[in-house]
Amino acid sequence: MMRDEAYNINPLILMNAYRFALKDCVDTTAHYVGQEYVLFRYNEIVEFLGVFQLKSLKPFRKTALMDLGNIPKNVLVLPIGICYVPTDNQYKKLGNIFYNPVKKIIAKNRFDFNIIHAHFTWPQGYAGARLKEEFGTPFVVTGHGYDVYSLPFKDHEWQEKIEYVLNTADHVITVSQSNLACIKKLDVSTPVTVIPNGFRSDLFYPRDSSECRKLLNLTQDKKIILTVGNLEPVKGQKYLVEAVQRIVRERKDILCVIVGAGKLRTALERQIHSLGLEDYVMLAGGKPHDEIPLWMNACDLFVLPSLNEGNPTVMFEALGCGKPFVGTRVGGVPEVVTSDEYGLLVEPADPDDLAKKILVALDREWDREAILRYAERFTWEKIAKEIVGVYEWVLG
């Protein structure tokens, strides 16, 4: 398909949120297609309970799930309200719970789409598969992480559900070779293309570290170690705190900044206090996406201590700012950090190994220009073209 024909591609995109990396991906892809129709789900029960201003529900409110800033003119975003209780039993029914209102919205608005792209195999992927059967429209699904390496291996029912989605699709995209290996364990015959996540080069680029620290009111005389992610067990922040305890035995000129919000904040506060690390670990809380580049550029070293990942966007964002990366050997991380010219890898849940590698990284003179040259291959502009290439192949 010729490039001018790509503008006749009108994707219907199903998502669990329109923000952060998914928004960046969709908005960049919009430069290379005609019209994009974006439907994302939110839980109406959460909206109802939201009147009580419960802090734990704030990240799941409709307004928190969408970022309507700088939307391309050819992107239409519609939230889809559904009702479900977040239990395992209800989650297995979420495919149909999401599919039915999506079908009604399509019929009501008469969207002129000619390809369906679902992000995550469940429940968006299931809804996409049903829509393909209903409308006969080509269907692409992207498996991002847990929906590939975890869900299909929970039990036989989950395996059947995910295999149905993947086999109904005309093409599967996944973000890492690690995810691909998981798909190969399933009974799936659909062609799969590995396309990693990316980063916004107009947001994540090198800036003056001293100025960023001034803007964020951070110290100028310490080495800053940064991690960014939801405060959830899978992100492994507690192992980073344990590593800091070991690091300060060797050097005191460090500050570990943990950016993110989540249910583990209280537990991390207690851990930091019990280890006497109040002067060395800072819980900065959640931050707006467009503020994260300041934190990235203020640090000397970016660390991702996750226990599991698909293909973490923050890794690419850190590299895009020219920052060396220390991360765990999980998911697609080892596929990206392929040389110690860009960063160092450690075993997950191993604070001793993590502390040793951080100490090595803090002492090393890194070649920022080499990191930046490497990061160029992961801009959303390049990734979006690869995604549109899949659209063209399916439609062609």
Side-chain angles (χ1 to χ4, degrees), residues 275-340:
L275 297 176
L277 296 175
E278 291 92 338
D279 293 335
Y280 302 100
V281 181
M282 170 186 170
L283 295 178
K287 300 298 176 184
H289 186 49
D290 59 3
E291 188 181 301
I292 300 301
L294 295 178
W295 295 89
M296 292 279 191
N297 279 285
C299 79
D300 296 279
L301 177 67
F302 188 87
V303 178
L304 193 68
S306 301
L307 306 183
N308 223 326
E309 286 285 355
N311 202 229
T313 305
V314 288
M315 172 175 59
F316 302 109
E317 293 170 345
L319 296 174
C321 293
K323 300 300 178 178
F325 177 90
V326 173
T328 46
R329 293 186 182 91
V330 295
V333 174
E335 300 165 28
V336 175
V337 184
T338 55
S339 165
D340 61 7

Side-chain angles (χ1 to χ4, degrees), residues 36-237:
E36 286 185 332
Y37 306 94
V38 178
L39 307 182
F40 76 90
R41 61 182 173 87
Y42 70 93
N43 193 339
E44 290 183 331
I45 295 177
V46 172
E47 290 302 296
F48 172 76
L49 295 174
V51 298
F52 299 104
Q53 299 298 316
L54 297 174
K55 188 179 292 187
S56 60
L57 295 179
K58 189 175 180 180
F60 306 103
R61 297 286 304 274
K62 179 171 66 172
T63 52
L65 293 174
M66 60 181 178
D67 176 2
L68 300 181
N70 300 313
I71 300 179
K73 292 181 179 180
N74 60 330
V75 176
L76 174 66
V77 180
L78 288 178
I80 305 293
I82 58 178
C83 291
Y84 68 96
V85 179
T87 62
D88 288 343
N89 185 51
Q90 277 279 287
Y91 195 55
K92 282 186 175 180
K93 299 176 181 178
L94 199 52
N96 275 321
I97 293 173
F98 183 51
Y99 164 68
N100 289 320
V102 165
K103 181 182 173 183
K104 291 178 182 177
I105 287 288
I106 291 171
K108 178 181 178 181
N109 292 275
R110 298 182 180 180
F111 294 145
D112 184 25
F113 62 94
N114 55 9
I115 191 167
I116 302 162
H117 186 180
H119 285 275
F120 291 94
T121 60
W122 190 267
Q124 292 84 232
Y126 177 84
R130 291 288 305 276
L131 289 171
K132 176 188 174 179
E133 294 175 338
E134 176 76 20
F135 295 98
T137 306
F139 165 49
V140 175
V141 62
T142 295
H144 284 273
Y146 77 94
D147 58 321
V148 171
Y149 64 68
S150 178
L151 274 189
F153 305 102
K154 283 181 175 290
D155 57 44
H156 182 67
E157 184 180 0
W158 270 120
Q159 182 174 333
E160 284 189 336
K161 288 178 182 294
I162 302 305
E163 286 180 347
Y164 159 72
V165 171
L166 297 176
N167 282 315
T168 304
D170 296 279
H171 205 95
V172 175
I173 297 172
T174 196
V175 297
S176 68
Q177 294 291 337
S178 175
N179 278 356
L180 176 60
C182 293
I183 293 173
K184 287 182 176 178
K185 294 177 184 178
L186 303 172
D187 184 14
V188 174
S189 57
T190 306
V192 183
T193 298
V194 175
I195 302 178
N197 286 322
F199 72 96
R200 280 183 57 182
S201 57
D202 62 328
L203 261 185
F204 294 90
Y205 56 86
R207 309 184 194 189
D208 183 84
S209 178
S210 179
E211 288 300 316
C212 290
R213 291 189 182 198
K214 286 180 183 177
L215 289 170
L216 298 171
N217 198 28
L218 292 172
T219 178
Q220 297 282 351
D221 59 357
K222 288 188 176 183
K223 294 280 190 178
I224 292 181
I225 302 160
L226 175 70
T227 191
V228 177
N230 294 329
L231 305 185
E232 303 286 342
V234 72
K235 293 301 182 181
Q237 289 100 345

